[in-house]
Amino acid sequence: MKIIIKRIAIIGLIVFLLIQLYQPARNLDYGQDITVNFTKVYNVPKNIKTILRTSCYDCHSNYPNYPWYSNIQPVRFLMENHIKKGKENLNFNEWGNYSSRKQNNKLDRIVKEIKSNEMPLSSYTLIHKNAILTPTQKVEIINWINTLKNEE
């Protein structure tokens, strides 16, 4: 029985080491037009910019911050998949490419996600405690978005 457990452990270690050879491309896009960035389309106050960069940009921008553990598989694969899906739903760096209608829908969705505590995801804030939105930050973002929408 000990030999079987030892063999399973050795095979598991070998598989773990082999999957480290697979490193998917990072979700970075440095060749983009910065004039379409959310913070260029709107005059975003500094406090809102800070909140968005801390709590949203890792999954919803072309410039995610990759921590050290992103080099370890299967974490890297899961992280890349998560970022890809996040950017498909909302990409702050591509904001100006959205139609006015889509921008308004995204703003409504941001408010809804914040109010319902769906964003940032709990799986993200589990490790990134600084990304947890405080009640004050939530009010700041929601009020700013509502003011923005009333100006249009």
Side-chain angles (χ1 to χ4, degrees), residues 138-149:
K138 290 178 183 182
V139 169
E140 287 175 348
I141 293 172
I142 292 168
N143 287 344
W144 179 76
I145 289 174
N146 288 336
T147 301
L148 182 68
K149 290 189 71 166

Side-chain angles (χ1 to χ4, degrees), residues 22-32 56-67 70-71 73-94:
Y22 174 68
Q23 294 290 322
R26 293 182 184 262
N27 276 293
L28 299 171
D29 184 6
Y30 293 112
Q32 65 169 4
C56 309
Y57 272 43
D58 277 351
C59 296
H60 297 287
S61 82
N62 293 332
Y63 307 109
N65 178 28
Y66 284 97
S70 68
N71 293 311
Q73 289 293 14
V75 174
R76 170 79 169 271
F77 177 76
L78 296 171
M79 186 178 289
E80 291 301 333
N81 189 41
H82 188 84
I83 293 169
K84 181 182 175 190
K85 286 181 181 176
K87 286 171 58 175
E88 286 173 0
N89 286 311
L90 168 65
N91 187 336
F92 286 105
N93 295 126
E94 303 292 331

Side-chain angles (χ1 to χ4, degrees), residues 17-65:
L17 293 173
L18 286 175
I19 65 171
Q20 300 314 307
L21 298 174
Y22 174 68
Q23 294 290 322
R26 293 182 184 262
N27 276 293
L28 299 171
D29 184 6
Y30 293 112
Q32 65 169 4
D33 179 7
I34 62 167
T35 61
V36 297
N37 189 306
F38 184 81
T39 60
K40 300 293 183 187
V41 173
Y42 302 118
N43 184 19
V44 182
K46 187 177 180 179
N47 63 322
I48 302 296
K49 281 183 192 178
T50 301
I51 295 167
L52 293 176
R53 286 196 176 114
T54 303
S55 299
C56 309
Y57 272 43
D58 277 351
C59 296
H60 297 287
S61 82
N62 293 332
Y63 307 109
N65 178 28

Side-chain angles (χ1 to χ4, degrees), residues 5-19:
I5 292 173
K6 190 174 182 178
R7 284 185 182 169
I8 291 172
I10 290 171
I11 291 171
L13 178 62
I14 291 170
V15 169
F16 176 77
L17 293 173
L18 286 175
I19 65 171

Side-chain angles (χ1 to χ4, degrees), residues 93-126:
N93 295 126
E94 303 292 331
W95 188 267
N97 293 330
Y98 297 156
S99 67
S100 295
R101 181 178 177 195
K102 188 171 185 177
Q103 287 176 1
N104 283 329
N105 288 339
K106 295 290 181 190
L107 290 172
D108 289 339
R109 188 72 183 168
I110 290 168
V111 169
K112 182 181 176 192
E113 299 276 335
I114 290 172
K115 283 183 176 179
S116 65
N117 295 315
E118 291 181 42
M119 287 289 164
L121 294 175
S122 57
S123 59
Y124 180 75
T125 58
L126 183 66

